[in-house]
Amino acid sequence: MDTLFARVAEASRLPALYIEGGIPDSFEGRFESLTLHVFLVLRRLRELPPPAAELAQEFIDACFAYLELGFRNGGVSDIAVPKKMKKIGQMFYGRVQAYEAALAAPGPEALAEALGRNACAPEAAPTLAAYMRAAQERLATADLDGIMNREDLFPAFSVPEAAHDA
């Protein structure tokens, strides 16, 4: 599970997400990007037959162990770590609920709105929403073996060509 999480974490750190995608290059921005990518994989794992659900829990555990280690390595005291982890957990599950509802809504506006509120600059949200939908489509074709072993779980981040008036 650590290998899968490492690939997801690596995908969440691609420079294009921060440059063209409008995600702030900060601790909070990196958390938001990681949350987007973890959410997409988690969502797909929950759609697959057993043992995917058990693996989804292991995947979440790996994610939170990584975040906790980040706090500890960042100098957060042992006493403060549980409080920070509780807040991170609330933020993570709040984002999961918001993105799930936004993906279920008709049209692209709800997802762009949720992303602009949580993850990125509002003007970059439609581009980030297009990336998320492309990632969701790519993951939808992956079986459990594909998720666990495929190197390229996520599509390349690209900015759609703007329409030019001629």
Side-chain angles (χ1 to χ4, degrees):
M1 196 50 57
D2 290 339
T3 303
L4 172 61
F5 180 75
R7 286 197 330 272
V8 172
E10 184 178 326
S12 77
R13 292 190 296 263
L14 291 177
L17 293 165
Y18 301 89
I19 298 167
E20 290 94 359
I23 297 173
D25 191 6
S26 63
F27 177 82
E28 291 81 9
R30 289 178 185 261
F31 167 78
E32 296 296 347
S33 185
L34 181 64
T35 298
L36 292 176
H37 289 83
V38 167
F39 161 71
L40 289 166
V41 171
L42 192 60
R43 189 172 197 264
R44 180 62 182 146
L45 286 172
R46 289 185 176 151
E47 295 170 345
L48 294 171
E54 294 82 17
L55 293 174
Q57 186 58 54
E58 289 179 31
F59 181 62
I60 288 292
D61 292 347
C63 175
F64 280 91
Y66 172 83
L67 292 168
E68 181 176 340
L69 183 62
F71 282 133
R72 292 184 187 282
N73 288 343
V76 175
S77 73
D78 288 343
I79 294 171
V81 166
K83 189 176 189 179
K84 293 248 185 216
M85 290 304 298
K86 181 178 180 183
K87 183 176 180 183
I88 284 286
Q90 291 169 338
M91 290 171 60
F92 176 83
Y93 286 108
R95 303 302 190 271
V96 165
Q97 288 177 335
Y99 299 147
E100 190 66 57
L103 281 174
E109 297 81 17
L111 183 57
E113 182 182 317
L115 290 168
R117 188 173 56 244
N118 294 313
C120 66
E123 61 274 8
T127 300
L128 193 57
Y131 167 77
M132 256 187 99
R133 289 205 183 271
Q136 177 192 9
E137 289 171 19
R138 176 178 244 158
L139 286 165
T141 65
D143 61 8
L144 185 56
D145 184 60
I147 288 174
M148 298 303 292
N149 299 306
R150 198 161 80 188
E151 289 297 319
D152 60 339
L153 277 177
F154 300 96
F157 187 90
S158 62
V159 178
E161 292 292 321
H164 297 287
D165 293 330

